[in-house]
Amino acid sequence: MFSGVEILYSIIARLFTTTPLGVSLFIFVAALAYLIISLVRRIFSTPTCVGLTLLYLLPLKKNLNTLNIPEIQSTYYHSPVGLLKISGTEDYITEIIFNDKVQKIEGRKKNLSPMLIQCVEQLIQYFNGQRRSFELPLHQQGTVFQQGVWNELMLIPFARTISYIELARRTGDTKATRAVANANGKNNICIIVPCHRVIGANKELVGYSGGLWRKKWLLEHEMKVAFGVQTLF
C-alpha cells in the first residue's frame, strides 16, 4: 500500500513528463502546500500531539512568569516648592519630578518600599537644610551621552553653579552646548541629580523643566544653607 507522499511523488513525476515545465512547477508547489497543511491539521487534531505541544509551551510560560522584573512604586511628597512624584523599586530610585497636574492625593500607600521611604526622608532633610548630598542608588534610562551629562551633574557641589558651556566642556565637547542642555532637560530625577545648578553663561537663570521660579528657590535655598546668603537672582 502506497503512502500519501509516494502517491504525490508519482503524480508530480508524471506531470513533469507530460506537461510544460512552468505548469508542472506550479502544480508541484500547490500540491506540496496542500500536503503540509493537511499534515499540520492532522497533527494538531490529535490529543497526544496537543499534549506534547503544551508540554513544551508550559515551561516557557513558567519561565516568562518568573522573570525578575522589578516592580516600580510611586509616592508623593509635598515639598516647599510643590508636589513631588517619587518612583522607584526596592533597589533604586527611577524618578523624582514636579507634578502640578494632580489635584488630590490619596492617603499614603501602605507597604511602600524602604527605598521610597528613605528617599522621602532624605528630601525632607534637604529642604530642612540638614542634608547637602544624597545617598541613594539611582537608575534612569538614557543614551550614553545623556548618562554622561547626568553623571557630570552629580559632581556639581551643593550651592555651586556652572554654565552650560562649562558642562559641555566637562563632557568633552565645548561645541555640544545645545545637546548638553537637551540632556539636562531630560533628567527625570530632579534635585538629587542637580540640573538646577546649571545656569546661563551670563549668570542668568535659563531652562528648567520645573519652572524658573523653582530653580531660583532651590539655588537660593542652597546658598542660604551653605553661606547664609538668601537672595542671588
Side-chain angles (χ1 to χ4, degrees):
M1 188 172 181
F2 294 102
S3 65
V5 175
E6 292 173 337
I7 295 173
L8 179 63
Y9 177 79
S10 63
I11 294 174
I12 292 172
R14 181 174 299 178
L15 287 173
F16 268 101
T17 58
T18 60
T19 61
L21 180 61
V23 177
S24 298
L25 288 174
F26 174 79
I27 296 175
F28 170 74
V29 172
L32 183 62
Y34 176 79
L35 178 61
I36 292 174
I37 293 173
S38 299
L39 290 174
V40 170
R41 287 179 177 176
R42 178 171 296 181
I43 289 173
F44 282 94
S45 63
T46 304
T48 302
C49 292
V50 173
L52 289 174
T53 304
L54 291 176
L55 185 64
Y56 281 102
L57 290 179
L58 285 176
L60 176 61
K61 181 179 180 182
K62 181 178 179 181
N63 291 335
L64 291 175
N65 291 336
T66 55
L67 287 176
N68 188 22
I69 300 176
E71 178 186 0
I72 296 179
Q73 291 183 316
S74 296
T75 189
Y76 293 89
Y77 163 55
H78 288 276
S79 78
V81 286
L83 189 65
L84 286 171
K85 180 184 178 183
I86 305 167
S87 302
T89 68
E90 294 182 352
D91 300 317
Y92 47 75
I93 297 300
T94 60
E95 180 185 57
I96 301 176
I97 59 173
F98 295 104
N99 194 320
D100 297 322
K101 297 180 180 180
V102 177
Q103 299 296 328
K104 183 179 179 181
I105 303 298
E106 299 178 357
R108 186 171 181 176
K109 295 181 180 180
K110 297 181 180 179
N111 302 322
L112 280 179
S113 69
M115 181 62 62
L116 287 183
I117 296 174
Q118 186 179 0
C119 182
V120 172
E121 290 175 348
Q122 291 193 21
L123 284 170
I124 292 173
Q125 294 168 358
Y126 168 84
F127 283 108
N128 287 340
Q130 301 169 341
R131 175 174 290 276
R132 302 188 182 192
S133 61
F134 294 86
E135 300 169 355
L136 295 166
L138 309 176
H139 177 75
Q140 60 175 326
Q141 298 290 338
T143 65
V144 174
F145 179 78
Q146 289 172 339
Q147 296 286 350
V149 172
W150 298 335
N151 289 337
E152 289 297 332
L153 293 176
M154 297 290 292
L155 299 178
I156 305 174
F158 182 87
R160 301 289 185 180
T161 60
I162 66 171
S163 67
Y164 287 99
I165 296 176
E166 172 62 18
L167 182 58
R169 187 191 67 79
R170 294 185 183 186
T171 60
D173 187 357
T174 56
K175 298 180 180 180
T177 305
R178 186 182 297 273
V180 162
N182 289 335
N184 202 55
K186 295 291 185 180
N187 171 39
N188 285 323
I189 306 181
C190 69
I191 301 175
I192 295 180
V193 180
C195 52
H196 63 277
R197 295 176 190 160
V198 184
I199 60 176
N202 55 0
K203 305 295 183 180
E204 289 186 359
L205 298 180
V206 291
Y208 190 61
S209 59
L212 291 182
W213 71 271
R214 286 192 173 107
K215 187 171 189 174
K216 179 177 183 291
W217 192 101
L218 292 171
L219 290 175
E220 291 185 344
H221 166 70
E222 293 182 2
M223 294 297 292
K224 182 181 178 181
V225 171
F227 308 110
V229 179
Q230 184 171 3
T231 303
L232 292 175
F233 302 95

